[in-house]
Amino acid sequence: MSADFTARAGAALADPTLKIAIDRTTITARTKRASAIAAWPEFPLARALGRDIKDHVIAHLDHYLLEFEANAIASGARVHWAETAQQACDITVALCRAADARSVTRSKSMLGEEIGLPHALAQAGIERVETDLAEHIIQLAGERPSHIIWPALHKTREQVGELFAREHHGALPLDTAEQMMASARRELREKFLAADVGISGANFLIADTGAVCTVTNEGNAELTTTPPRLHIVTAGIEKLVPSTAHAMSLLRLLVRSATGAELTQYTSFHRGPRRPGDTDGPTEFHIILVDNGRTRMRAEGLAEMLRCLRCGACLNHCVVFRQIGGHAYGGTYPGPMGAVITPILDGLAASHDLPNACTLNGQCQEVCPVAIPLPTLLRGWRDRSWREGLEPASLRGSLALWRFVARRPALYRAATALALPMMRLFARRGWISAMPLAGGWTRHRDLPAPPARGFMAQYAARQKAARR
Amino acid sequence: MTDARAAILARLAGHRTDQATIAAQAAALLDRVGPTRPDRVRGAPDAVFLQRLASPAIGATGERIATLAELPEAVSRYLAAHALPPLVAVQPHPELAGLAWAGIATHADITPDEAVAVGLAHGGIAETASLVFHSGAHSPTLFAFLPMHHIVALHAHSVRPWLEDHIAADPPRNVNLVTGPSGTTDIEGTLVRGAHGPGHLHVVMIGSNNDADPVAATRPA
């Protein structure tokens, strides 16, 4: 493991408040998802359908992009294409400048985070107002998102209360989550209506209508996209679906997997600018279709990852994420899905630790609403990292030593016969809480004590007993 | 950005499938939707809608009146019950403008801190107790998002069973599905009510629709 990841993970593990914050949200999320799925016996069929809808779109992505583009243009939208994050940011900033925009409201979008839009707007001197409560929290705190559904998951309610007391202008009480939300509502109210540009992401792009679907619980997306003169959508090209009906099937999966609700409070389809007779709505509607590695994923064996609906269930169920949280991963996307995507976005050399920070217990694949084989994809990265020589000499050396011993059964058995009783010397009631050379493991959890004799020794003894 | 467009499309181009085959595959996927629907609500769509609406997960309130003419009375009752002044924004819909709003001062422009707005939904969805709004001259989008209390009239005959049942062939600028009052789970994952959108949602069902097909998934019993 490289020093960076080890240091970040170590710092996270040493932070007891972070552990409390992670537990509070992920335990609630797992419980709510489980009861939503339990109340939906049709889930396995729905999941297979969701998987097949996404696979169909990814297989015919060029067809659906062109259909979407034509229908969006017919609705009065303007469609832009960006191969890279930089291009997408440049287009967004140029549109803001052309509209003389001073203030931009933004409705949470992971694609926006992925392409570095907050930074690009700041560089351009454009005021950015994050309207999603969690994004508002981390904007005030000057932090990055730590979860794709709950960007402020790393903060306890007590910490949010302290932050709002310091940063908000009102003198509202801040003891409960309701009061904190009320304070944010008041703080952001006027900013929604004063913005020149509203920027959103897209949960789905509907090919046969040219519409963009967004889902929120707070109502901030519509308040972001309706009052300003411009609505700019930044969307990954994998967000396409053939029709609104296909989107509905995916919505049933997405919302239950994300928050355990059956549908978000607000599910909106935005299609073009203000029309004759409309008394609200943007006068310009722009859609930026962003590749940023997606065509590469499709070409390089990661097409299944393009099914991802960004529900966050794999994060909430990941035993590693639940210990270290999102920031330790170092990329835009944390957890199992992040460990698959980040090597594409940041390069494998900078992120080969992430596919290794995984127990391969398969929970992520089990809860994924579109059945992405995450452990298989993670193993693929491990394999590639090994072949490209990215793993450190210490790891290569120890594995070479292990291989040398493992290929010589007599030596292997002798070594185990020697090691097991030694390990048992450190055990107390079946668990080892400290042992030389095992500090990396035992610092944060106990190691189960091994039996006195290894498998082969026990097997040989049984065979001998059976022959008698 | 013609170059980016050409480059992306070039990387996606593979063996070409003809349009008819792609359309047939997309249609075949939709043929599989019926058996995946959450089939645990049964009855007339409008009755199922009101039942689901009041569930804790949705957290809205509802009532039923016989005709739209009774809406102003229902609004007056709601205002009195919540100790709100008789001052409401009324969605500029002809059906609402024609009502006798005796004792309530109404206006058609909605303000950012509007206390109460009264609207008329385009339709309803029983599966999720969602209201469907179609933007237009008679239905500004912000009516569903700015007020603190949103009172929505809903014709019983416009309530359909499933999410797929209100899909328009040529949708307007905005189609908004509204499912309960606004909320957030952003602090520790727990749902709290009253975010940027309305903190209270009250649905007034107009008439009843006992002749409608009951809600049930399209599958053999």
Side-chain angles (χ1 to χ4, degrees):
Chain A
M1 301 257 160
S2 70
D4 281 359
F5 177 75
T6 310
R8 286 194 305 263
L13 289 168
D15 181 349
T17 314
L18 177 64
K19 180 72 175 112
I20 292 170
I22 297 169
D23 277 351
R24 283 183 182 167
T25 302
T26 57
I27 290 172
T28 305
R30 293 198 301 276
T31 310
K32 283 162 71 182
R33 177 203 169 269
S35 61
I37 300 302
W40 192 24
E42 300 83 355
F43 174 66
L45 283 176
R47 185 176 187 242
L49 176 60
R51 175 198 64 201
D52 293 350
I53 290 174
K54 290 297 292 191
D55 283 352
H56 168 76
V57 170
I58 301 308
H60 306 295
L61 199 50
D62 51 346
H63 165 84
Y64 283 116
L65 278 166
L66 290 171
E67 185 185 354
F68 175 80
E69 182 191 41
N71 287 320
I73 290 171
S75 77
R78 285 186 50 201
V79 179
H80 313 260
W81 301 66
E83 280 189 88
T84 62
Q86 186 64 48
Q87 276 179 16
C89 287
D90 289 348
I91 296 169
T92 311
V93 168
L95 289 170
C96 292
R97 288 216 168 111
D100 254 336
R102 273 171 309 178
S103 168
V104 165
T105 44
R106 212 175 135 243
S107 173
K108 171 183 166 280
S109 135
M110 285 315 297
L111 189 273
E113 300 292 334
E114 175 192 319
I115 61 176
L117 197 50
H119 179 70
L121 291 169
Q123 292 285 94
I126 299 165
E127 187 200 5
R128 168 178 61 96
V129 179
E130 295 292 345
T131 63
D132 171 76
L133 178 64
E135 290 279 346
H136 172 65
I137 292 168
I138 61 168
Q139 183 175 29
L140 289 182
E143 293 170 346
R144 290 184 309 111
S146 65
H147 190 287
I148 62 173
I149 293 289
W150 295 285
L153 172 134
H154 57 284
K155 287 219 171 319
T156 60
R157 59 177 181 272
E158 294 85 354
Q159 290 174 319
V160 175
E162 285 164 26
L163 178 72
F164 283 6
R166 207 162 53 235
E167 302 286 338
H168 280 181
H169 300 88
L172 296 172
L174 293 165
D175 299 322
T176 64
E178 283 88 346
Q179 290 169 341
M180 294 171 203
M181 181 65 238
S183 181
R185 177 185 167 110
R186 194 161 92 173
E187 194 77 13
L188 293 171
R189 202 70 181 163
E190 292 304 322
K191 299 195 169 175
F192 276 119
L193 296 137
D196 302 299
V197 176
I199 302 179
S200 76
N203 290 92
F204 302 104
L205 302 170
I206 318 289
D208 73 345
T209 62
V212 172
C213 175
T214 61
V215 302
T216 76
N217 289 326
E218 298 175 18
N220 62 307
E222 296 75 8
L223 286 172
T224 296
T225 63
T226 312
R229 286 177 283 136
L230 261 73
H231 175 189
I232 302 175
V233 179
T234 57
I237 53 175
E238 85 285 11
K239 293 288 178 193
L240 274 156
V241 289
S243 73
T244 314
H246 294 89
M248 294 303 184
S249 276
L250 296 173
L251 278 166
R252 288 191 181 101
L253 289 163
L254 166 65
V255 185
R256 285 174 176 83
S257 302
T259 65
E262 295 187 356
L263 194 63
T264 40
Q265 276 89 328
Y266 302 106
T267 306
S268 290
F269 298 84
H270 313 260
R271 186 172 181 238
R274 184 186 292 218
R275 297 183 184 184
D278 286 359
T279 56
D280 56 21
T283 48
E284 284 182 40
F285 187 89
H286 297 269
I287 302 161
I288 306 172
L289 299 171
V290 184
D291 180 345
N292 202 32
R294 286 157 177 77
T295 49
R296 245 189 79 206
M297 288 171 72
R298 186 174 174 272
E300 294 182 13
L302 293 172
E304 287 154 320
M305 195 62 226
L306 296 173
R307 289 179 197 157
C308 181
L309 304 176
R310 306 289 192 258
C311 73
C314 63
L315 280 62
N316 305 330
H317 290 78
C318 173
V319 291
V320 176
F321 179 90
R322 282 157 52 194
Q323 297 302 320
I324 63 174
H327 287 154
Y329 287 82
T332 303
Y333 302 102
M337 54 80 79
V340 174
I341 297 173
T342 306
I344 283 283
L345 297 176
D346 297 351
L348 187 58
S351 60
H352 65 96
D353 286 338
L354 303 183
N356 285 313
C358 166
T359 67
L360 296 178
N361 71 6
Q363 276 264 311
C364 48
Q365 177 172 358
E366 213 169 287
V367 298
C368 177
V370 283
I372 300 172
L374 288 153
T376 308
L377 301 180
L378 287 167
R379 270 198 300 268
W381 279 127
R382 287 184 181 187
D383 187 40
R384 188 153 154 193
S385 172
W386 183 268
R387 278 185 283 113
E388 292 182 8
L390 297 173
E391 297 307 324
S394 57
L395 179 69
R396 299 186 85 90
S398 5
L399 275 179
L401 177 66
W402 181 84
R403 184 175 63 176
F404 178 84
V405 178
R407 293 169 100 188
R408 289 160 179 81
L411 180 60
Y412 190 89
R413 274 172 228 161
T416 348
L418 199 65
L420 294 182
M422 303 260 287
M423 285 176 77
R424 288 170 64 84
L425 291 177
F426 296 92
R428 294 285 173 277
R429 292 196 199 90
W431 293 91
I432 299 168
S433 57
M435 187 176 75
L437 302 176
W441 178 284
T442 56
R443 196 172 303 125
H444 301 291
R445 58 241 188 271
D446 291 343
L447 185 67
R453 290 188 303 166
F455 172 81
M456 286 310 292
Q458 291 186 40
Y459 179 73
R462 279 178 198 221
Q463 291 294 96
K464 206 169 153 189
R467 270 198 303 274
R468 266 208 300 261
Chain B
M1 286 295 123
T2 323
D3 289 346
R5 181 181 186 274
I8 292 170
L9 290 173
R11 282 200 293 275
L12 292 173
H15 58 96
R16 280 248 157 231
T17 313
D18 65 283
Q19 311 252 344
T21 307
I22 296 176
Q25 287 173 1
L29 289 164
L30 291 184
D31 288 342
R32 291 164 53 188
V33 169
T36 71
R37 286 165 169 163
D39 181 26
R40 67 195 168 344
V41 282
R42 295 188 178 253
D46 56 333
V48 170
F49 184 99
L50 283 177
Q51 200 183 309
R52 304 270 318 128
L53 186 74
S55 69
I58 295 185
T61 52
E63 65 177 298
R64 194 192 289 272
I65 58 177
T67 66
L68 190 62
E70 296 168 26
L71 182 63
E73 271 174 56
V75 171
S76 289
R77 281 198 302 274
Y78 182 92
L79 297 177
H82 292 80
L84 292 160
L87 184 70
V88 302
V90 176
Q91 187 184 315
H93 195 287
E95 285 193 56
L96 300 180
L99 298 173
W101 293 97
I104 303 174
T106 64
H107 54 279
D109 291 324
I110 193 153
T111 60
D113 54 355
E114 196 73 58
V116 185
V118 177
L120 178 68
H122 174 81
I125 295 165
E127 175 187 350
T128 50
S130 302
L131 297 163
V132 183
F133 291 94
H134 278 188
S135 67
H138 300 152
S139 181
T141 300
L142 290 175
F143 259 79
F145 296 93
L146 287 177
M148 183 50 89
H149 296 258
H150 194 201
I151 304 173
V152 183
L154 174 66
H155 287 294
H157 63 76
S158 72
V159 182
R160 307 209 178 122
W162 303 107
L163 281 169
E164 290 85 1
D165 295 339
H166 261 296
I167 296 173
D170 183 19
R173 186 195 89 239
N174 262 183
V175 175
N176 303 110
L177 308 187
V178 173
T179 311
S182 75
T184 182
T185 61
D186 276 355
I187 298 174
E188 300 184 346
T190 307
L191 177 64
V192 299
R193 293 293 174 186
H196 296 298
H200 307 266
L201 178 72
H202 184 70
V203 176
V204 183
M205 186 76 72
I206 313 295
S208 59
N209 196 16
N210 295 327
D211 305 333
D213 290 338
V215 174
T218 52
R219 85 184 64 165

PDB file of all heavy atoms in Angstrom, chain A residues 31-44 252-253 256-257 260 367 369:
ATOM      1  N   THR A  31     -30.655  -0.613   7.276  1.00  0.00           N
ATOM      2  CA  THR A  31     -31.934  -1.046   7.829  1.00  0.00           C
ATOM      3  C   THR A  31     -33.086  -0.654   6.910  1.00  0.00           C
ATOM      4  O   THR A  31     -33.976  -1.448   6.613  1.00  0.00           O
ATOM      5  CB  THR A  31     -32.153  -0.380   9.216  1.00  0.00           C
ATOM      6  OG1 THR A  31     -30.987  -0.591   9.982  1.00  0.00           O
ATOM      7  CG2 THR A  31     -33.365  -0.955   9.915  1.00  0.00           C
ATOM      8  N   LYS A  32     -33.054   0.604   6.433  1.00  0.00           N
ATOM      9  CA  LYS A  32     -34.159   1.084   5.594  1.00  0.00           C
ATOM     10  C   LYS A  32     -34.178   0.389   4.239  1.00  0.00           C
ATOM     11  O   LYS A  32     -35.234   0.049   3.713  1.00  0.00           O
ATOM     12  CB  LYS A  32     -34.070   2.606   5.437  1.00  0.00           C
ATOM     13  CG  LYS A  32     -34.574   3.320   6.696  1.00  0.00           C
ATOM     14  CD  LYS A  32     -34.122   4.760   6.778  1.00  0.00           C
ATOM     15  CE  LYS A  32     -34.793   5.663   5.777  1.00  0.00           C
ATOM     16  NZ  LYS A  32     -34.270   7.045   5.873  1.00  0.00           N
ATOM     17  N   ARG A  33     -32.999   0.166   3.663  1.00  0.00           N
ATOM     18  CA  ARG A  33     -32.966  -0.557   2.396  1.00  0.00           C
ATOM     19  C   ARG A  33     -33.509  -1.972   2.585  1.00  0.00           C
ATOM     20  O   ARG A  33     -34.306  -2.456   1.787  1.00  0.00           O
ATOM     21  CB  ARG A  33     -31.540  -0.629   1.832  1.00  0.00           C
ATOM     22  CG  ARG A  33     -31.480  -1.439   0.539  1.00  0.00           C
ATOM     23  CD  ARG A  33     -30.107  -2.004   0.242  1.00  0.00           C
ATOM     24  NE  ARG A  33     -30.192  -2.973  -0.842  1.00  0.00           N
ATOM     25  CZ  ARG A  33     -30.383  -4.268  -0.658  1.00  0.00           C
ATOM     26  NH1 ARG A  33     -30.529  -4.758   0.562  1.00  0.00           N
ATOM     27  NH2 ARG A  33     -30.456  -5.087  -1.689  1.00  0.00           N
ATOM     28  N   ALA A  34     -33.077  -2.633   3.655  1.00  0.00           N
ATOM     29  CA  ALA A  34     -33.502  -4.014   3.876  1.00  0.00           C
ATOM     30  C   ALA A  34     -35.017  -4.099   3.992  1.00  0.00           C
ATOM     31  O   ALA A  34     -35.640  -5.001   3.429  1.00  0.00           O
ATOM     32  CB  ALA A  34     -32.835  -4.568   5.135  1.00  0.00           C
ATOM     33  N   SER A  35     -35.644  -3.138   4.700  1.00  0.00           N
ATOM     34  CA  SER A  35     -37.100  -3.258   4.832  1.00  0.00           C
ATOM     35  C   SER A  35     -37.794  -2.894   3.521  1.00  0.00           C
ATOM     36  O   SER A  35     -38.833  -3.476   3.189  1.00  0.00           O
ATOM     37  CB  SER A  35     -37.626  -2.452   6.030  1.00  0.00           C
ATOM     38  OG  SER A  35     -37.338  -1.111   5.861  1.00  0.00           O
ATOM     39  N   ALA A  36     -37.224  -1.979   2.745  1.00  0.00           N
ATOM     40  CA  ALA A  36     -37.826  -1.656   1.444  1.00  0.00           C
ATOM     41  C   ALA A  36     -37.759  -2.854   0.497  1.00  0.00           C
ATOM     42  O   ALA A  36     -38.709  -3.150  -0.233  1.00  0.00           O
ATOM     43  CB  ALA A  36     -37.118  -0.452   0.815  1.00  0.00           C
ATOM     44  N   ILE A  37     -36.643  -3.570   0.511  1.00  0.00           N
ATOM     45  CA  ILE A  37     -36.492  -4.734  -0.374  1.00  0.00           C
ATOM     46  C   ILE A  37     -37.374  -5.890   0.131  1.00  0.00           C
ATOM     47  O   ILE A  37     -37.989  -6.609  -0.661  1.00  0.00           O
ATOM     48  CB  ILE A  37     -35.007  -5.168  -0.471  1.00  0.00           C
ATOM     49  CG1 ILE A  37     -34.140  -4.024  -1.042  1.00  0.00           C
ATOM     50  CG2 ILE A  37     -34.858  -6.428  -1.330  1.00  0.00           C
ATOM     51  CD1 ILE A  37     -34.531  -3.508  -2.407  1.00  0.00           C
ATOM     52  N   ALA A  38     -37.472  -6.027   1.452  1.00  0.00           N
ATOM     53  CA  ALA A  38     -38.311  -7.095   2.010  1.00  0.00           C
ATOM     54  C   ALA A  38     -39.780  -6.891   1.626  1.00  0.00           C
ATOM     55  O   ALA A  38     -40.531  -7.848   1.466  1.00  0.00           O
ATOM     56  CB  ALA A  38     -38.149  -7.147   3.529  1.00  0.00           C
ATOM     57  N   ALA A  39     -40.176  -5.620   1.475  1.00  0.00           N
ATOM     58  CA  ALA A  39     -41.578  -5.324   1.126  1.00  0.00           C
ATOM     59  C   ALA A  39     -41.799  -5.402  -0.386  1.00  0.00           C
ATOM     60  O   ALA A  39     -42.865  -5.038  -0.881  1.00  0.00           O
ATOM     61  CB  ALA A  39     -41.934  -3.928   1.635  1.00  0.00           C
ATOM     62  N   TRP A  40     -40.797  -5.851  -1.108  1.00  0.00           N
ATOM     63  CA  TRP A  40     -40.872  -5.885  -2.573  1.00  0.00           C
ATOM     64  C   TRP A  40     -40.382  -7.242  -3.064  1.00  0.00           C
ATOM     65  O   TRP A  40     -39.258  -7.365  -3.559  1.00  0.00           O
ATOM     66  CB  TRP A  40     -40.011  -4.753  -3.150  1.00  0.00           C
ATOM     67  CG  TRP A  40     -40.186  -4.479  -4.594  1.00  0.00           C
ATOM     68  CD1 TRP A  40     -41.261  -4.756  -5.391  1.00  0.00           C
ATOM     69  CD2 TRP A  40     -39.222  -3.843  -5.469  1.00  0.00           C
ATOM     70  NE1 TRP A  40     -41.047  -4.331  -6.671  1.00  0.00           N
ATOM     71  CE2 TRP A  40     -39.800  -3.768  -6.754  1.00  0.00           C
ATOM     72  CE3 TRP A  40     -37.941  -3.331  -5.284  1.00  0.00           C
ATOM     73  CZ2 TRP A  40     -39.138  -3.195  -7.839  1.00  0.00           C
ATOM     74  CZ3 TRP A  40     -37.285  -2.761  -6.360  1.00  0.00           C
ATOM     75  CH2 TRP A  40     -37.884  -2.697  -7.626  1.00  0.00           C
ATOM     76  N   PRO A  41     -41.229  -8.267  -2.941  1.00  0.00           N
ATOM     77  CA  PRO A  41     -40.788  -9.612  -3.327  1.00  0.00           C
ATOM     78  C   PRO A  41     -40.415  -9.729  -4.803  1.00  0.00           C
ATOM     79  O   PRO A  41     -39.732 -10.674  -5.195  1.00  0.00           O
ATOM     80  CB  PRO A  41     -41.987 -10.511  -2.986  1.00  0.00           C
ATOM     81  CG  PRO A  41     -43.116  -9.601  -2.671  1.00  0.00           C
ATOM     82  CD  PRO A  41     -42.572  -8.251  -2.367  1.00  0.00           C
ATOM     83  N   GLU A  42     -40.845  -8.763  -5.583  1.00  0.00           N
ATOM     84  CA  GLU A  42     -40.525  -8.779  -7.018  1.00  0.00           C
ATOM     85  C   GLU A  42     -39.116  -8.270  -7.306  1.00  0.00           C
ATOM     86  O   GLU A  42     -38.701  -8.206  -8.470  1.00  0.00           O
ATOM     87  CB  GLU A  42     -41.533  -7.907  -7.781  1.00  0.00           C
ATOM     88  CG  GLU A  42     -42.997  -8.335  -7.652  1.00  0.00           C
ATOM     89  CD  GLU A  42     -43.677  -7.817  -6.384  1.00  0.00           C
ATOM     90  OE1 GLU A  42     -42.992  -7.195  -5.531  1.00  0.00           O
ATOM     91  OE2 GLU A  42     -44.887  -8.035  -6.223  1.00  0.00           O
ATOM     92  N   PHE A  43     -38.377  -7.904  -6.240  1.00  0.00           N
ATOM     93  CA  PHE A  43     -37.057  -7.288  -6.426  1.00  0.00           C
ATOM     94  C   PHE A  43     -36.118  -8.073  -7.355  1.00  0.00           C
ATOM     95  O   PHE A  43     -35.499  -7.471  -8.243  1.00  0.00           O
ATOM     96  CB  PHE A  43     -36.396  -7.032  -5.061  1.00  0.00           C
ATOM     97  CG  PHE A  43     -34.986  -6.523  -5.142  1.00  0.00           C
ATOM     98  CD1 PHE A  43     -34.708  -5.264  -5.669  1.00  0.00           C
ATOM     99  CD2 PHE A  43     -33.911  -7.299  -4.690  1.00  0.00           C
ATOM    100  CE1 PHE A  43     -33.406  -4.789  -5.739  1.00  0.00           C
ATOM    101  CE2 PHE A  43     -32.610  -6.831  -4.761  1.00  0.00           C
ATOM    102  CZ  PHE A  43     -32.354  -5.579  -5.284  1.00  0.00           C
ATOM    103  N   PRO A  44     -36.002  -9.411  -7.188  1.00  0.00           N
ATOM    104  CA  PRO A  44     -35.053 -10.120  -8.084  1.00  0.00           C
ATOM    105  C   PRO A  44     -35.385  -9.938  -9.570  1.00  0.00           C
ATOM    106  O   PRO A  44     -34.473  -9.747 -10.394  1.00  0.00           O
ATOM    107  CB  PRO A  44     -35.190 -11.585  -7.659  1.00  0.00           C
ATOM    108  CG  PRO A  44     -35.700 -11.525  -6.247  1.00  0.00           C
ATOM    109  CD  PRO A  44     -36.577 -10.309  -6.176  1.00  0.00           C
ATOM    110  N   ARG A 252     -37.567   2.723  -9.488  1.00  0.00           N
ATOM    111  CA  ARG A 252     -38.008   1.823  -8.408  1.00  0.00           C
ATOM    112  C   ARG A 252     -36.801   1.197  -7.705  1.00  0.00           C
ATOM    113  O   ARG A 252     -36.783   1.032  -6.488  1.00  0.00           O
ATOM    114  CB  ARG A 252     -38.903   0.713  -8.972  1.00  0.00           C
ATOM    115  CG  ARG A 252     -40.291   1.177  -9.391  1.00  0.00           C
ATOM    116  CD  ARG A 252     -41.217  -0.017  -9.688  1.00  0.00           C
ATOM    117  NE  ARG A 252     -42.528   0.443 -10.112  1.00  0.00           N
ATOM    118  CZ  ARG A 252     -42.945   0.472 -11.396  1.00  0.00           C
ATOM    119  NH1 ARG A 252     -42.170   0.022 -12.365  1.00  0.00           N
ATOM    120  NH2 ARG A 252     -44.149   0.927 -11.695  1.00  0.00           N
ATOM    121  N   LEU A 253     -35.782   0.853  -8.492  1.00  0.00           N
ATOM    122  CA  LEU A 253     -34.577   0.227  -7.932  1.00  0.00           C
ATOM    123  C   LEU A 253     -33.699   1.246  -7.219  1.00  0.00           C
ATOM    124  O   LEU A 253     -33.222   1.012  -6.106  1.00  0.00           O
ATOM    125  CB  LEU A 253     -33.765  -0.418  -9.062  1.00  0.00           C
ATOM    126  CG  LEU A 253     -34.354  -1.669  -9.710  1.00  0.00           C
ATOM    127  CD1 LEU A 253     -33.669  -1.934 -11.049  1.00  0.00           C
ATOM    128  CD2 LEU A 253     -34.197  -2.869  -8.789  1.00  0.00           C
ATOM    129  N   ARG A 256     -35.206   2.823  -3.627  1.00  0.00           N
ATOM    130  CA  ARG A 256     -35.198   1.846  -2.528  1.00  0.00           C
ATOM    131  C   ARG A 256     -33.775   1.500  -2.101  1.00  0.00           C
ATOM    132  O   ARG A 256     -33.492   1.330  -0.920  1.00  0.00           O
ATOM    133  CB  ARG A 256     -35.926   0.576  -2.961  1.00  0.00           C
ATOM    134  CG  ARG A 256     -37.446   0.725  -2.989  1.00  0.00           C
ATOM    135  CD  ARG A 256     -38.083  -0.535  -3.564  1.00  0.00           C
ATOM    136  NE  ARG A 256     -39.533  -0.490  -3.530  1.00  0.00           N
ATOM    137  CZ  ARG A 256     -40.284   0.113  -4.449  1.00  0.00           C
ATOM    138  NH1 ARG A 256     -39.722   0.762  -5.442  1.00  0.00           N
ATOM    139  NH2 ARG A 256     -41.603   0.096  -4.355  1.00  0.00           N
ATOM    140  N   SER A 257     -32.874   1.403  -3.070  1.00  0.00           N
ATOM    141  CA  SER A 257     -31.495   1.027  -2.744  1.00  0.00           C
ATOM    142  C   SER A 257     -30.740   2.163  -2.064  1.00  0.00           C
ATOM    143  O   SER A 257     -29.828   1.926  -1.287  1.00  0.00           O
ATOM    144  CB  SER A 257     -30.742   0.621  -4.019  1.00  0.00           C
ATOM    145  OG  SER A 257     -31.406  -0.441  -4.652  1.00  0.00           O
ATOM    146  N   GLY A 260     -34.144   3.783   0.911  1.00  0.00           N
ATOM    147  CA  GLY A 260     -35.174   2.904   1.440  1.00  0.00           C
ATOM    148  C   GLY A 260     -36.584   3.424   1.208  1.00  0.00           C
ATOM    149  O   GLY A 260     -37.558   2.783   1.588  1.00  0.00           O
ATOM    150  N   VAL A 367     -26.014  -6.460  -2.944  1.00  0.00           N
ATOM    151  CA  VAL A 367     -27.000  -5.395  -2.757  1.00  0.00           C
ATOM    152  C   VAL A 367     -27.125  -4.490  -3.986  1.00  0.00           C
ATOM    153  O   VAL A 367     -28.049  -3.672  -4.048  1.00  0.00           O
ATOM    154  CB  VAL A 367     -26.685  -4.520  -1.518  1.00  0.00           C
ATOM    155  CG1 VAL A 367     -26.730  -5.366  -0.255  1.00  0.00           C
ATOM    156  CG2 VAL A 367     -25.350  -3.806  -1.659  1.00  0.00           C
ATOM    157  N   PRO A 369     -28.365  -2.845  -7.094  1.00  0.00           N
ATOM    158  CA  PRO A 369     -29.675  -2.975  -7.749  1.00  0.00           C
ATOM    159  C   PRO A 369     -29.589  -3.300  -9.230  1.00  0.00           C
ATOM    160  O   PRO A 369     -30.610  -3.619  -9.844  1.00  0.00           O
ATOM    161  CB  PRO A 369     -30.319  -1.600  -7.529  1.00  0.00           C
ATOM    162  CG  PRO A 369     -29.170  -0.664  -7.379  1.00  0.00           C
ATOM    163  CD  PRO A 369     -28.083  -1.449  -6.700  1.00  0.00           C
TER     164      PRO A 369
END
